[in-house]
Amino acid sequence: MALSMAELTQQITTLILNPGTRAWERQLLVGAKQRLTPNTTAARELSRLLADLRPLAQRQNLTPAVADFYRQMTGETVLDSHDLVAQHTAPDPSYQERAVFAGGCFWCMVEPFETRPGINAVISGYTGGTVAQPTYDQVISQSTGHVEAVEILFDTRQVTYADLLTVYWQLIDPTDDSGQVNDRGESYRPIIFVNSAAQRQLAEASKQRVIDQRQYQKPIVVAIEPTTTFWPAENYHQQFYRQQPKRYQRLERARQRYLRWQRRWAKWRRK
């Protein structure tokens, strides 16, 4: 991507000031900004910066905003999540409701809901914690009390909250409150967040049905809690299945293998 000196300087400055940028990323960015002088060209310094970031990018070890910058500069598809955030902050029409589910890594929680009729938006984010505007690094440090979750904006004329609960139970291991599949820690706990008495009643009934079906040897430990502030995650995490389809497919296959194995094992134990 061809950038002027002013445009590149502005983007690098924004990343330097971003609280989610790690110290070693910031060091590289500061060095690049200092080299941007009237005697240099933007293209040359951008190429050098991308070369410095490449080893970290290849290991998927850049923070979200820097990862977006790297992918944009190398010509990869980068989702603009401004519309999603706008939908999150906008008031709901009379026919729209919201559901908030935590079920492990939010990367694998979007596509199963978003591709269904009646879904207006699925937003990845953080909820249930004590820190305002948390970053991804803060949440995965397990120090803020947040969990990764999805906020689903749905059209009640086409899909019901009960329908969404049915999908949710198919996506998780309801016996594991220490994480989900390969994602460990309190930020990956499975929780149903309810925002009304009606949602709580439906959530409790759906949980009881899972218990009564006796599909699992271990107790059902999914919590049902009141909705708290939902903070949309960084752009990099929104609609991950579209932005990083190959990586998403690998993660989703591994997740589904585990859940199928678990259900078959439970069925065998019952017999």
Side-chain angles (χ1 to χ4, degrees):
M1 174 179 290
L3 292 179
S4 68
M5 184 74 74
E7 290 171 331
L8 182 57
T9 301
Q10 181 58 53
Q11 291 211 30
I12 290 175
T13 301
T14 299
L15 291 172
I16 291 171
L17 297 176
N18 189 321
T21 300
R22 297 189 188 119
W24 40 266
E25 292 173 322
R26 188 171 286 110
Q27 184 178 0
L28 293 176
L29 293 163
V30 169
K33 184 178 179 181
Q34 290 174 342
R35 294 191 300 270
L36 285 170
T37 68
N39 297 324
T40 63
T41 63
R44 186 176 71 185
E45 290 309 319
L46 175 60
S47 178
R48 180 173 174 178
L49 176 58
L50 294 179
D52 289 338
L53 293 173
R54 187 169 297 117
L56 305 172
Q58 291 174 340
R59 295 197 299 271
Q60 306 290 336
N61 201 23
L62 294 175
T63 51
V66 179
D68 275 345
F69 170 79
Y70 180 87
R71 293 172 59 216
Q72 182 183 7
M73 294 303 104
T74 55
E76 297 182 54
T77 300
V78 179
L79 173 77
D80 184 350
S81 65
H82 287 95
D83 287 345
L84 285 175
V85 174
Q87 286 179 279
H88 164 73
T89 57
D92 293 318
S94 59
Y95 55 82
Q96 180 173 281
E97 291 185 14
R98 302 186 184 214
V100 178
F101 299 133
C105 178
F106 45 29
W107 289 350
C108 292
M109 290 287 289
V110 176
E111 187 265 348
F113 290 106
E114 189 173 72
T115 53
R116 292 176 178 268
I119 304 301
N120 297 330
V122 181
I123 305 165
S124 296
Y126 317 112
T127 192
T130 58
V131 176
Q133 297 180 330
T135 66
Y136 179 70
D137 272 4
Q138 287 177 316
V139 173
I140 65 173
S141 73
Q142 317 294 334
S143 62
T144 68
H146 291 89
V147 292
E148 293 189 15
V150 290
E151 180 182 61
I152 304 165
L153 282 60
F154 63 99
D155 188 331
T156 56
R157 300 169 300 184
Q158 300 182 56
V159 63
T160 67
Y161 184 68
D163 294 332
L164 300 182
L165 286 166
T166 299
V167 176
Y168 173 74
W169 290 108
Q170 296 170 357
L171 302 177
I172 64 166
D173 173 1
T175 68
D176 187 354
D177 60 359
S178 299
Q180 287 290 289
V181 193
N182 292 325
D183 302 310
R184 313 312 304 164
E186 69 170 14
S187 63
Y188 298 112
R189 291 171 293 145
I191 304 174
I192 299 172
F193 291 93
V194 295
N195 57 40
S196 67
Q199 283 196 356
R200 177 173 287 278
Q201 183 177 12
L202 289 168
E204 296 281 9
S206 70
K207 180 177 179 178
Q208 189 59 51
R209 280 194 296 272
V210 174
I211 294 172
D212 293 342
Q213 289 169 358
R214 298 176 178 267
Q215 293 184 8
Y216 301 93
Q217 182 186 12
K218 297 179 181 179
I220 304 302
V221 294
V222 176
I224 299 174
E225 300 180 2
T227 301
T228 61
T229 302
F230 183 91
W231 303 98
E234 298 88 336
N235 184 72
Y236 177 82
H237 298 297
Q238 303 299 338
Q239 295 184 321
F240 188 82
Y241 77 100
R242 293 186 179 184
Q243 296 201 73
Q244 300 264 355
K246 292 182 179 178
R247 190 177 179 196
Y248 166 74
Q249 288 164 10
R250 290 196 298 270
L251 293 169
E252 180 62 11
R253 282 196 295 267
R255 182 185 178 106
Q256 289 303 321
R257 278 197 301 269
Y258 173 86
L259 294 176
R260 283 196 298 269
W261 172 86
Q262 182 198 48
R263 289 162 186 155
R264 289 171 182 169
W265 174 252
K267 184 177 180 180
W268 181 84
R269 289 299 297 262
R270 289 199 307 275
K271 289 183 178 179

